[in-house]
Amino acid sequence: MRIGLFVPCYVDAFEPEVGIATLELLERFGLDVDYPFDQTCCGQPMTNTGCHAEAAATEALFVKNFAPFDYVVAPSGSCVHQVREHLTAIPQTDEVKAVRAKTFELVEFLHDILKVEEFPWAEFPHRVGYHGNCNALRGIHHARPSELNAPFFSKPLDLLKKVKGIEIVAPARPDECCGFGGTFSVFEPAVSAKMGYDKVSDHAQAGAEYVVSADSSCMMHQKGCAERIGVPLKFIHIARILNGATA
Amino acid sequence: MSASDELRPQDEARRDGVIHPEVLAGNDESERGQDGRRLQHAEGASRPISAGALSPKAPREPQPRGAKIRGDRPIDQAEAAERFLAAPMHQKAHDARLWDLRTKRDTAAFGIPEWEELRELASQIKTHTLANLDRYLEEFEARAKANGVHVHWAADGAEHNRIVHGILKDHGAKSLIKSKSMLTEECGFRHYMAGTGIEVIETDLGERIQQLDNEEPSHVVVPAVHKTRFDVAEVFSRTMGTDPENDDAHYLAESQRMHTRPLILEADAGLTGCNFAIAETGTVVTCTNEGNADLSGNVPKLQIHSIGIEKLIPRIEHLGVFLRLLSRSALGSPITQYTSHFRAPRKGTEMHMVLVDNGRSERLGMEEFWTSLKCIRCGACMNTCPVYRRSGGLSYGATYSGPIGLIIDPTFNKRKYSTLPFSSTMNGSCTNVCPVKINIHEQIFAWRKVLAEEHQIPLLKQGMMKAAGQVLSRPATYRAAIGAADSALKVLPRFAVYNPLNTWGKGREMPEAPRQTFHAWYKQNRMAKAGGKKTEGIK
């Protein structure tokens, strides 16, 4: 099984350790993982802003980079949602459709494709609050959103519960958006920051020591908000915990 | 409902002798949902929400006002939202009040095992009705006429206003009482009537507050939810002469009632909106908690009902589906206090119905946006929207605010409301609470595309996206842009967040740049080594 690793641009630049953890974790399961060296971005900043024509060349590059693989895996629900649902600025050839269909977010890849039963190397003796990115939650169905009258499930919590020593605490508003929203964070900064302040305060009140998420983008925003208002929270990507990081 | 926002639970003394002991004891089976849990009736269960210091001497925070309207120029929702956030007492109370409604909605919805099936059924009934709207409208008209109702057709808001004004003039009416209607807001009816010499009196408490304060409703169900008790006390003291220092909700509500009730009893005509129009019977159904639509419809000898043509449902048997969804979605109560059916004029009175298009037919032809016509105006999308709760409804500068507003308003004026679809994180909670399953957040996404294609977004924004697209599609250029190896910080914070004005850093700390990018790490650790697949223990 050949896996193409997609490392989103902000992970590449700001949280390289998340890319490294994702690579190492996949390799722990004996997978053949490649990082196509010419990769850049999934095109989301442009399509999110309505500028589909401006995203076309970036989308074509993504498809060119990842067409050769059996699966594409990325440590970001938001980018995977873009690829799966919104990579439509270029003609939908069989190749494009195939890449879109075989692109998976790390948590769902571990949970649904590899069906991982245990992470014997993982131990995280801390109280954590989980933050579900909205695209991961409602776009690619990581978990049952709180609005729906349906049986509860959560793929990221299923995985985290296999980690030794971890304690999970729930904020009062479990799926309230943290206000990142891609370009929303810079075009509507006041509301975005206020949502972030409220989010990190909610996690702190629930007793969390760490906020854990499958998306670095939300956490980059929340970390900036927490530091600004002095909420002593730490942030860590789920890939690092599952790969055995202890702090 | 829709009153001053500081609803206090009735104190025990007031309850004694008024409420049946069995209800007080919580033994009334009708008070339980199908899952056996006790229902939280919205009003009675409302938590008191403090709007700040209780001391009367404490400085009062002035109410933040809405978006600045400058003709057709795009609304600056972000600017108005920032002013709302700068009034923390208001923002906090607003957020708490609406989140409380969302929580009650969840409890009420989860009390019904078939909730999701009901949503699907309602959505399908609306799909069917809208697909056959011409037929159902003709059926409705024929039935209404057979019931003795005068039926009028209005192509737009201006025609609606002229028709209603004409009816009032023909009867020599000098005053009109009306219940809350978003359609009449959409038509600018109150502003139009201001120039006619006929007095219009809103009978919904929240809407009356907004009328007296010369402000638009900020929410489709709770129009004055952005105001605190203090604000209402100020408005009432200014307009009705109440005690400006007394902000007790009961005092204020009672004062308003004493002031308005005589106007209601003496009014020459009444006007209501319409929640559902039933084709097979020609009936208009209104749902209120104050009974004010009943006053408007039943007290004067001349009654008028304004109906958006998308309000049609085929048969009376379909009504139950929507009634079960409406108030649960809106307020978390099983049903509104009053659900009234208006079918035929009472003896000696006259009844008119005005069917209004005002852009609906055009919207029905929009492939990506027609399902927004399914909306039953419950406000659930607003209550759950984290942006709306922190911005206030008036920040949208439009008749419809919040998520549903973002997708309806641009159909009225693409330039003026071109910014609104960007006032969203597209988190999707709105879509999940919508009782008729409108894919609201997907339509917000689709609107952004339409607006960009038609160059209705700022040149700066589009230019930034063009530049980003050019860099991100050329790996070598991209790598050069973010720095050769280890100096990502120099360019990336600006570049990665597309941030020429440093709006990121205004409310947040900047992320720290790491030692090296993943890309550089991979090159160093995996590509430099021959066949190197081994990782150098990185933490």
Side-chain angles (χ1 to χ4, degrees), chain B residues 367-379:
Chain B
E367 196 183 338
E368 289 178 292
F369 306 117
W370 69 271
T371 57
S372 63
L373 288 165
K374 293 181 180 183
C375 177
I376 58 172
R377 308 285 191 261
C378 69

Side-chain angles (χ1 to χ4, degrees), chain B residues 351-473:
Chain B
M351 186 168 178
H352 294 257
M353 292 183 183
V354 188
L355 289 152
V356 186
D357 187 314
N358 203 31
R360 286 161 174 75
S361 296
E362 196 187 339
R363 206 181 307 153
L364 192 54
M366 301 172 94
E367 196 183 338
E368 289 178 292
F369 306 117
W370 69 271
T371 57
S372 63
L373 288 165
K374 293 181 180 183
C375 177
I376 58 172
R377 308 285 191 261
C378 69
C381 62
M382 302 170 168
N383 302 343
T384 201
C385 179
V387 176
Y388 177 88
R389 274 187 267 109
R390 289 169 182 84
S391 312
L394 298 177
S395 69
Y396 297 79
T399 301
Y400 299 101
S401 53
I404 189 67
L406 305 188
I407 62 173
I408 289 182
D409 295 325
T411 67
F412 292 111
N413 188 330
K414 227 180 250 179
R415 180 170 145 75
K416 187 173 181 182
Y417 303 123
S418 60
T419 50
L420 295 188
F422 294 89
S423 295
S424 164
T425 61
M426 297 193 288
N427 62 75
S429 186
C430 46
T431 297
N432 281 347
V433 296
C434 178
V436 288
K437 296 185 85 167
I438 302 169
N439 58 336
I440 302 175
H441 75 297
E442 288 170 6
Q443 292 193 34
I444 294 171
F445 182 83
W447 265 115
R448 292 184 180 188
K449 181 167 185 270
V450 168
L451 293 164
E453 281 169 359
E454 299 185 10
H455 304 292
Q456 294 282 5
I457 70 172
L459 281 174
L460 170 72
K461 199 183 258 189
Q462 196 143 17
M464 279 160 68
M465 290 306 134
K466 195 175 174 191
Q470 283 169 352
V471 174
L472 290 169
S473 59

Side-chain angles (χ1 to χ4, degrees), chain A residues 16-218:
Chain A
E17 61 274 23
V18 172
I20 296 166
T22 305
L23 175 63
E24 290 181 350
L25 181 57
L26 292 171
E27 287 174 345
R28 283 182 192 268
F29 297 105
L31 300 169
D32 180 10
V33 187
D34 238 328
Y35 168 77
F37 207 61
D38 277 349
Q39 61 179 275
T40 58
C41 166
C42 61
Q44 184 170 207
M46 289 79 83
T47 55
N48 187 303
T49 314
C51 300
H52 290 243
E54 290 79 356
T58 304
E59 291 184 0
L61 177 67
F62 184 92
V63 171
K64 185 176 158 220
N65 277 321
F66 290 102
F69 298 97
D70 298 315
Y71 288 101
V72 184
V73 179
S76 164
S78 183
C79 300
V80 168
H81 176 253
Q82 151 73 15
V83 172
R84 210 179 283 165
E85 302 295 329
H86 292 152
L87 199 151
T88 54
I90 51 176
Q92 298 296 297
T93 62
D94 287 347
E95 186 181 55
V96 172
K97 282 191 270 188
V99 167
R100 293 178 60 191
K102 69 190 179 188
T103 299
F104 286 82
E105 184 280 327
L106 177 66
V107 166
E108 53 175 9
F109 187 73
L110 296 170
H111 190 278
D112 300 344
I113 306 296
L114 297 183
K115 299 186 183 353
V116 176
E117 289 295 333
E118 53 181 15
F119 300 88
W121 50 80
E123 185 169 358
F124 200 73
H126 302 285
R127 284 162 73 101
V128 306
Y130 186 77
H131 172 70
N133 166 285
C134 296
N135 287 324
L137 175 68
R138 302 189 186 87
I140 61 172
H141 313 296
H142 258 193
R144 190 280 317 260
S146 62
E147 302 92 8
L148 296 181
N149 186 354
F152 179 82
F153 74 95
S154 168
K155 295 173 188 178
L157 291 184
D158 279 356
L159 298 183
L160 285 175
K161 281 172 187 163
K162 301 179 198 299
V163 173
K164 276 194 290 291
I166 202 165
E167 187 189 344
I168 297 163
V169 293
R173 301 181 184 186
D175 331 315
E176 176 102 320
C177 174
C178 71
F180 174 64
T183 49
F184 178 83
S185 63
V186 291
F187 291 128
E188 190 134 358
V191 174
S192 172
K194 176 59 176 155
M195 287 166 69
Y197 301 155
D198 290 350
K199 188 80 211 181
V200 296
S201 303
D202 197 3
H203 272 297
Q205 268 161 21
E209 186 187 338
Y210 280 87
V211 173
V212 181
S213 178
D215 278 84
S216 296
S217 53
C218 298

Side-chain angles (χ1 to χ4, degrees), chain B residues 162-182:
Chain B
R162 282 197 303 272
I163 289 169
V164 175
H165 183 204
I167 298 167
L168 296 173
K169 254 197 324 206
D170 290 349
H171 290 77
K174 289 279 170 257
S175 69
L176 172 75
I177 50 172
K178 71 179 281 289
S179 61
K180 184 166 158 38
S181 151
M182 289 311 295

